[in-house]
């Protein structure tokens, strides 16, 4: 039995054949548009104020509503700027155009020529004198296209989501402005934007399972980068004092409302700076971007009002875990004793995880959900941060901070370790731990260590999760709402 969808598609295909039979190309090569819908609305106001004569406009966009009334019809046209009503009358159209109008469906893309008027109901309208079919839509919009709510369908067919939900388009327009504002912030401070390899011989710069691929000509395996850090530090060694990169990162890990296998990361490195300098820069950057994009330094996120106005709260990591989790990890010098204490709190503990990862679990379980207002957690145990410099007065801690807002981490930063001997030893220890946990890494980056042996100045490094920052600034609770094409399991 033929489904309703199949019937609709068949009807549209028949319309397409009739259009072609009349000698009309339903997919022409271009169209000379003079104005957007928004510009047309502004022109109408100027016309009504007597500032300009009645103009003729050429608009183009998708038909979103079709209301025929005998020899006249009203259509709604939407383009990238907004919506405007169209008025068609057989008296104003040629016989060919009148016939073509009967073949137009919701979802078709048309170009229209006409004068701007306001109807008796006050609706801004283009009185069409001619129109052109620019693309015949063979697939109908969803039944409830004006309120498409099927989450899987919205993410899997993002183009339908953008057509049906104008607020979704606004999210991604804001995302673009946020990224542009970040670039402006760094460029104005003397940083230069660079590009580093996505395919790397050895994954480094973070603790994460990489994706592996194979280069057939070289007959070698490569890894999609889990961080650009080690290449950006090479540039600091080479004499660039301030560098940053905005790009895709790939981590072969879980999916959640805060995690996608590929995501956008900002990383920056500044010679002769430390983590205190970077903290001040992060405060200034987020507050400035928020003000520039949203016109305020406060945002609504869920049920909370978050203020990005500097200075942000600063908390010692150990004290924060004691406060929210009731465990002082200094009292448990190894993974076995710390794991036993965590089990007493009814936590599941993976026996393969080392002490640093158990501390991270305490942080994510007890502390992170409580950090709603912008907060820097500072001074981490050395085993949690193999690329960070130790504190001058305590070699068990490193100069590192993570920034949390809305109960999630948005940034991670270090006073970068530039002692090549210490760095080599820590990376060897990390490599051995990764092998024990079967993290998929086969080697560590020897060339980076050689670069460090040539001398790297004191440096402050930063990583910011762009997707999570966009979530905060657009009040979205899932990372899939701010990534145009999030990773989804293939349908069977």
């Amino acid at each position: 039995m033929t489904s309703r969808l199949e019937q609709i598609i068949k009807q549209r295909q028949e319309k397409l054949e009739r259009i072609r039979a009349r000698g009309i190309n339903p997919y022409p090569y271009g169209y000379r548009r003079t104005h957007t819908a928004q510009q047309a609305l502004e022109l109408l106001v100027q016309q009504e104020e007597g500032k300009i004569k009645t103009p003729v406009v050429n608009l183009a966009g998708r038909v979103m509503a079709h209301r025929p009334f005998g020899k006249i019809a009203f259509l709604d046209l939407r383009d990238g700027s907004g919506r405007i009503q169209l008025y068609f009358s057989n008296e104003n159209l040629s016989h060919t155009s009148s016939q073509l109008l009967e073949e137009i469906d919701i979802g078709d893309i048309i170009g229209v020529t006409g004068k701007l008027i306001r109807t008796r109901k006050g609706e801004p309208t283009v009185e069409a004198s001619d129109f052109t079919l620019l693309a015949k839509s063979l697939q109908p919009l969803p039944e409830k296209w004006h309120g498409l709510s099927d989450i899987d369908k919205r993410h899997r067919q993002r183009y339908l989501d953008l057509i049906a939900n104008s607020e979704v388009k606004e999210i991604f327009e804001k995302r673009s402005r946020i990224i542009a504002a970040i670039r402006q912030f760094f460029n104005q401070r003397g940083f230069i934007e660079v590009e580093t390899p996505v395919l790397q011989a050895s994954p480094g710069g973070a603790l994460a399972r990489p994706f592996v691929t194979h280069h057939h000509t070289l007959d070698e395996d490569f890894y999609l980068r889990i961080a650009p850090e080690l290449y950006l530090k090479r540039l600091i060694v080479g004499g660039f004092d301030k560098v940053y990169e905005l790009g895709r990162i790939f981590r072969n890990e879980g999916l959640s409302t805060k995690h996608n296998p590929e995501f956008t990361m900002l990383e920056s490195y500044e010679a002769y700076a430390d983590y205190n300098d970077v903290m001040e820069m992060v405060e200034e950057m987020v507050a400035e971007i928020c003000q520039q994009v949203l016109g305020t330094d406060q945002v609504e996120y869920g049920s909370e009002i978050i203020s990005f106005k500097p200075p942000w709260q600063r908390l010692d990591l150990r004290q924060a875990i004691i406060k929210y989790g009731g465990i002082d990890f200094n009292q448990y010098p190894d993974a076995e004793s710390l794991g036993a204490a965590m089990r007493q709190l009814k936590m599941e503990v993976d026996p393969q995880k080392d002490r640093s990862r158990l501390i991270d679990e305490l942080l994510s379980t007890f502390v992170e959900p409580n950090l709603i207002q912008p907060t820097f957690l500072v001074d981490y145990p050395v085993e949690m941060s193999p690329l960070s410099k130790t504190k001058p007065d305590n070699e068990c801690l490193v100069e590192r901070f993570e920034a949390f807002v809305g109960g999630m981490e948005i940034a991670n930063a270090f006073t970068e370790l530039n002692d090549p001997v210490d760095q080599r030893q820590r990376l060897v220890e990390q490599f051995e731990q990764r092998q024990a946990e079967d993290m998929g890494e086969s080697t560590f980056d020897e060339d980076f260590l050689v670069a460090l042996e040539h001398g790297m100045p004191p440096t402050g490094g930063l990583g910011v999760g762009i997707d999570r920052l966009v979530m905060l600034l657009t009040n979205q609770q899932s990372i899939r709402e701010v990534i145009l094409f999030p990773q989804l399991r293939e349908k069977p």
Side-chain angles (χ1 to χ4, degrees), residues 282 312 376 380 401-404 408-413 462-465:
V282 170
W312 295 3
F376 293 117
Y380 284 54
F401 75 78
E402 289 183 298
F404 294 86
M408 62 183 172
E409 176 202 345
I410 64 165
N412 186 25
L462 169 69
V464 176

Side-chain angles (χ1 to χ4, degrees), residues 260 420 469:
N260 195 66
L469 181 59

Side-chain angles (χ1 to χ4, degrees), residues 123-344:
E123 181 74 14
T125 302
V126 176
E127 184 178 25
S129 58
D130 192 15
F131 82 98
T132 303
L133 177 62
L134 301 178
K136 183 64 182 171
S137 173
L138 299 182
Q139 289 275 353
L141 297 181
E143 284 289 340
K144 296 183 179 179
W145 61 265
H146 53 284
L148 180 62
S149 58
D150 184 320
I151 293 177
D152 184 73
K153 193 178 192 71
R154 287 182 51 240
H155 295 158
R156 202 173 292 278
Q157 295 177 276
R158 181 68 84 182
Y159 48 91
L160 292 180
D161 192 24
L162 294 168
I163 292 171
N165 300 313
S166 58
E167 66 275 12
V168 172
K169 186 169 178 285
E170 292 173 6
I171 290 171
F172 291 103
E173 288 173 342
K174 284 181 181 177
R175 179 188 175 107
S176 178
R177 295 201 299 273
I178 290 166
I179 291 174
I182 290 171
R183 285 194 163 97
Q184 181 181 358
F185 179 91
F186 279 95
N187 293 343
Q188 289 177 341
R189 283 157 179 76
F191 285 78
I192 65 166
E193 184 174 6
V194 297
E195 296 171 310
T196 61
V198 172
L199 288 178
Q200 300 183 354
S202 175
L207 283 170
R209 183 186 299 275
F211 288 96
V212 186
T213 188
H214 187 77
H215 192 290
H216 293 285
T217 301
L218 296 177
D219 194 24
E220 292 181 3
D221 285 341
F222 285 86
Y223 303 88
L224 297 183
R225 66 181 178 190
I226 58 175
E229 177 171 349
L230 302 188
Y231 282 91
L232 291 172
K233 287 181 179 178
R234 286 170 167 89
L235 299 180
I236 298 293
V237 171
F240 285 105
D241 287 345
K242 296 181 178 182
V243 295
Y244 76 95
E245 182 171 10
L246 270 163
R248 277 301 218 225
I249 302 299
F250 307 86
R251 297 183 181 178
N252 195 356
E253 298 178 335
L255 293 164
S256 77
T257 57
K258 299 178 183 178
H259 299 88
N260 195 66
E262 58 174 314
F263 58 97
T264 302
M265 177 76 79
L266 160 75
E267 286 209 12
S268 72
Y269 292 85
E270 180 178 358
Y272 313 110
D274 65 13
Y275 78 145
N276 292 302
D277 300 313
V278 179
M279 262 188 273
E280 292 180 8
M281 183 177 72
V282 170
E283 291 173 330
E284 293 173 11
M285 178 186 72
V286 177
E288 186 172 311
I289 289 167
C290 190
Q291 189 72 46
Q292 183 173 332
V293 175
L294 304 178
T296 176
D297 59 14
Q298 292 188 345
V299 299
E300 181 179 344
Y301 188 67
S303 60
E304 303 287 344
I305 300 297
I306 293 173
S307 172
F308 289 108
K309 185 178 180 179
W312 295 3
Q313 177 182 215
R314 287 161 170 75
L315 292 178
D316 176 84
L317 172 66
R318 176 186 167 217
Q319 294 303 323
I321 292 178
I322 292 173
K323 177 180 179 180
Y324 293 110
I327 287 184
D328 182 355
F329 56 72
N330 276 0
Q331 296 181 4
Y332 307 99
D334 52 47
E336 184 177 356
S337 60
L338 181 57
M342 292 167 66
R343 289 187 185 93
Q344 290 180 358

Side-chain angles (χ1 to χ4, degrees), residues 346-357:
K346 308 301 182 183
M347 295 181 67
E348 292 187 11
V349 179
D350 185 342
Q352 285 193 316
K353 288 188 174 180
D354 63 5
R355 182 171 179 268
S356 68
R357 292 200 166 221

Side-chain angles (χ1 to χ4, degrees), residues 284-483:
E284 293 173 11
M285 178 186 72
V286 177
E288 186 172 311
I289 289 167
C290 190
Q291 189 72 46
Q292 183 173 332
V293 175
L294 304 178
T296 176
D297 59 14
Q298 292 188 345
V299 299
E300 181 179 344
Y301 188 67
S303 60
E304 303 287 344
I305 300 297
I306 293 173
S307 172
F308 289 108
K309 185 178 180 179
W312 295 3
Q313 177 182 215
R314 287 161 170 75
L315 292 178
D316 176 84
L317 172 66
R318 176 186 167 217
Q319 294 303 323
I321 292 178
I322 292 173
K323 177 180 179 180
Y324 293 110
I327 287 184
D328 182 355
F329 56 72
N330 276 0
Q331 296 181 4
Y332 307 99
D334 52 47
E336 184 177 356
S337 60
L338 181 57
M342 292 167 66
R343 289 187 185 93
Q344 290 180 358
L345 296 177
K346 308 301 182 183
M347 295 181 67
E348 292 187 11
V349 179
D350 185 342
Q352 285 193 316
K353 288 188 174 180
D354 63 5
R355 182 171 179 268
S356 68
R357 292 200 166 221
L358 295 181
I359 294 173
D360 193 55
E361 279 197 26
L362 289 170
L363 164 59
S364 60
T365 301
F366 295 110
V367 181
E368 185 171 332
N370 289 286
L371 303 182
I372 305 303
Q373 296 300 320
T375 302
F376 293 117
L377 282 186
V378 301
D379 300 341
Y380 284 54
V382 64
E383 62 264 42
M384 292 183 72
S385 308
L387 298 168
S388 307
K389 184 170 286 189
T390 56
K391 293 182 69 65
D393 57 348
N394 188 343
E395 292 190 353
C396 294
L397 299 177
V398 295
E399 292 194 341
R400 173 188 177 185
F401 75 78
E402 289 183 298
F404 294 86
V405 187
M408 62 183 172
E409 176 202 345
I410 64 165
N412 186 25
F414 312 143
T415 299
E416 301 295 339
L417 179 59
N418 60 345
D419 179 338
V421 177
D422 190 2
Q423 182 67 94
R424 180 178 292 276
Q425 178 59 36
R426 290 205 223 166
L427 287 182
V428 167
E429 292 172 358
Q430 182 191 68
F431 167 68
E432 291 173 350
Q433 178 61 33
R434 289 171 64 88
Q435 281 194 318
E437 295 185 25
D438 189 27
M439 294 296 289
E441 183 179 359
S442 61
T443 182
F444 58 86
D445 195 335
E446 176 66 30
D447 182 71
F448 165 69
L449 294 171
V450 172
L452 212 59
E453 288 171 354
H454 285 81
M456 184 178 83
T459 299
L462 169 69
V464 176
I466 297 301
D467 308 291
R468 293 184 181 181
L469 181 59
V470 174
M471 286 172 62
L472 289 165
L473 298 187
T474 58
N475 194 16
Q476 300 302 311
Q477 307 302 310
S478 171
I479 197 170
R480 292 184 177 184
E481 298 295 346
V482 300
I483 295 176

